[in-house]
Amino acid sequence: MIVAFSVTPLGVGESVGEYVADAVRVVRESGLPNQTDAMFTSIEGEWDEVMDVVRRAVDAVAARAPRVSLVLKADVREGVSEGLTSKVETLERHLGAGS
Amino acid sequence: MIVAFSVTPLGVGESVGEYVADAVRVVRESGLPNQTDAMFTSIEGEWDEVMDVVRRAVDAVAARAPRVSLVLKADVREGVSEGLTSKVETLERHLGAGS
Amino acid sequence: MIVAFSVTPLGVGESVGEYVADAVRVVRESGLPNQTDAMFTSIEGEWDEVMDVVRRAVDAVAARAPRVSLVLKADVREGVSEGLTSKVETLERHLGAGS
Amino acid sequence: MIVAFSVTPLGVGESVGEYVADAVRVVRESGLPNQTDAMFTSIEGEWDEVMDVVRRAVDAVAARAPRVSLVLKADVREGVSEGLTSKVETLERHLGAGS
């Protein structure tokens, strides 16, 4: 499955980049396929391994902030692998065909 | 922590109430404090117990649908208990004070 | 349609109840069917009227906070009215039937 | 502000790429800075222009599906421009500094 998630610390001011970096570091060190843009970090894998990474990413932020807000969206579909790239390729193919 | 989540099955038609019911049934049988409205089901507990319920709720839906979309928002804050009711009470107090 | 949304101010500390109250006050004064629990406020109406309320709710929080995070989930379905109550009734019917 | 959103049609089967393509086409034709990955499309601009694009993207999908689920996360912050790239640059700087 693919999980996109975002972690926001509260009580540490409005600039939260260094806290988010702690979360992204956990994701990158996990070895799972991942990608980060301005709003979300996406990870691909099985439920247990992905959620373990999300939990440790939240813990890394919670270690330095009194409150953490987590937003997560998951696409759970059997038999799909390399979804981080294949979903975008499928989309671009539809966009090309329809133009 | 409090987790609000929503499970949406894809590939089973536009009326998804009976599938969502399978997810809510798992939540209610968990014994954790919970509440369901038109858009989300909220659960309160520790990460492991809450996420185990969410996972089993997703599995219950995925057992009958080829694809499931999960949306989740968590409020992770140490030392808060009975947050499902206390957060609303705090809010109403502010609304009363400010009117 | 039904919109569930949550507004989180950043840069004002970890206790955000009084800021959230400003947002909920805008919703309640809108006259649209609405409901607030520990995690989300739901509103029912047409796109323009609902999004106008969400925007003014965000503005009310942004007036006192340097940064605001908005999370929103919408269920867009023609021909459904009183969805805030009817969706829950449908769900409970399925839960009753399946037990 | 930056808005990341995801549109999911219900009642059209489990493969929704061609419907999502209709939404992304609206975004790309808007002229606003945007980016699409496997889970979300992000757009940057003022509230009115961004929400107008989101609305038309939802309408494009709703034209061919009986029900549409919209998930949206917004980062509302005055005085930030080119956030789609600058937020990632800030993050990478923190990641580099912390390694």
Side-chain angles (χ1 to χ4, degrees):
Chain A
M1 72 176 185
I2 304 176
V3 165
F5 78 103
S6 167
V7 184
T8 306
L10 273 72
V12 298
E14 69 176 283
S15 294
V16 299
E18 67 175 280
Y19 303 89
V20 174
D22 288 342
V24 173
R25 193 172 290 118
V26 169
V27 172
R28 293 192 179 171
E29 290 174 353
S30 74
L32 294 176
N34 68 83
Q35 190 178 323
T36 298
D37 68 10
M39 296 295 280
F40 285 94
T41 290
S42 296
I43 321 176
E44 187 166 9
E46 298 303 311
W47 180 284
D48 281 340
E49 54 191 7
V50 170
M51 286 305 189
D52 178 61
V53 174
V54 173
R55 190 213 174 123
R56 288 187 291 113
V58 170
D59 283 348
V61 178
R64 296 173 59 200
R67 190 174 188 178
V68 179
S69 177
L70 166 70
V71 177
L72 179 155
K73 185 172 195 292
D75 183 7
V76 182
R77 197 179 189 184
E78 284 295 316
V80 172
S81 62
E82 299 185 11
L84 283 180
T85 53
S86 69
K87 281 183 71 175
V88 177
E89 287 168 1
T90 300
L91 180 66
E92 293 294 344
R93 200 162 55 237
H94 284 297
L95 281 164
S99 63
Chain B
M1 70 176 187
I2 305 176
V3 165
F5 78 102
S6 167
V7 184
T8 306
L10 274 73
V12 297
E14 68 177 285
S15 294
V16 299
E18 66 175 280
Y19 303 89
V20 174
D22 288 341
V24 173
R25 192 172 290 118
V26 169
V27 172
R28 294 193 178 171
E29 290 173 351
S30 74
L32 293 177
N34 68 83
Q35 189 178 324
T36 298
D37 68 11
M39 295 295 280
F40 284 94
T41 290
S42 296
I43 322 176
E44 187 166 8
E46 298 303 312
W47 180 284
D48 281 341
E49 55 191 8
V50 170
M51 286 306 187
D52 178 62
V53 173
V54 172
R55 189 210 175 126
R56 288 187 290 115
V58 169
D59 283 349
V61 179
R64 297 173 58 203
R67 191 175 188 178
V68 178
S69 178
L70 165 71
V71 177
L72 179 154
K73 186 173 194 291
D75 183 6
V76 182
R77 197 180 190 184
E78 283 296 315
V80 173
S81 61
E82 299 185 11
L84 283 180
T85 52
S86 69
K87 283 182 71 174
V88 177
E89 287 168 0
T90 300
L91 180 66
E92 293 294 345
R93 200 162 55 236
H94 283 296
L95 282 164
S99 64
Chain C
M1 71 176 187
I2 305 176
V3 165
F5 77 103
S6 167
V7 184
T8 307
L10 273 72
V12 298
E14 69 176 285
S15 294
V16 299
E18 66 175 281
Y19 302 89
V20 174
D22 288 341
V24 173
R25 193 173 290 118
V26 169
V27 172
R28 294 192 178 172
E29 291 173 351
S30 74
L32 294 177
N34 68 83
Q35 190 177 323
T36 298
D37 69 10
M39 295 295 279
F40 284 94
T41 290
S42 296
I43 321 176
E44 188 165 9
E46 297 303 312
W47 180 284
D48 281 341
E49 54 191 8
V50 170
M51 285 306 186
D52 178 62
V53 173
V54 172
R55 189 212 175 125
R56 289 188 290 112
V58 169
D59 284 348
V61 178
R64 296 173 59 202
R67 192 175 188 177
V68 179
S69 178
L70 166 71
V71 176
L72 180 154
K73 186 172 194 293
D75 183 5
V76 182
R77 196 179 189 184
E78 284 295 315
V80 172
S81 61
E82 299 185 11
L84 283 180
T85 51
S86 68
K87 282 182 70 174
V88 177
E89 287 167 0
T90 300
L91 180 67
E92 292 294 345
R93 200 161 54 238
H94 283 297
L95 281 164
S99 63
Chain D
M1 71 176 187
I2 305 176
V3 165
F5 77 103
S6 168
V7 185
T8 306
L10 273 72
V12 297
E14 68 175 286
S15 294
V16 299
E18 65 174 283
Y19 303 88
V20 174
D22 289 342
V24 173
R25 194 173 289 117
V26 169
V27 172
R28 294 192 179 172
E29 291 173 351
S30 74
L32 294 177
N34 69 83
Q35 189 177 323
T36 298
D37 69 10
M39 295 295 280
F40 284 94
T41 290
S42 297
I43 321 175
E44 186 165 9
E46 298 302 312
W47 180 284
D48 281 342
E49 53 192 9
V50 170
M51 285 305 188
D52 178 61
V53 174
V54 172
R55 188 210 176 127
R56 289 187 291 112
V58 169
D59 283 350
V61 178
R64 297 173 59 203
R67 190 175 190 178
V68 179
S69 177
L70 165 70
V71 177
L72 179 154
K73 185 172 195 292
D75 183 6
V76 182
R77 195 180 190 184
E78 284 295 315
V80 172
S81 61
E82 299 184 9
L84 283 180
T85 51
S86 69
K87 282 182 70 175
V88 177
E89 287 167 1
T90 300
L91 180 66
E92 292 294 345
R93 201 163 52 238
H94 283 297
L95 282 164
S99 64

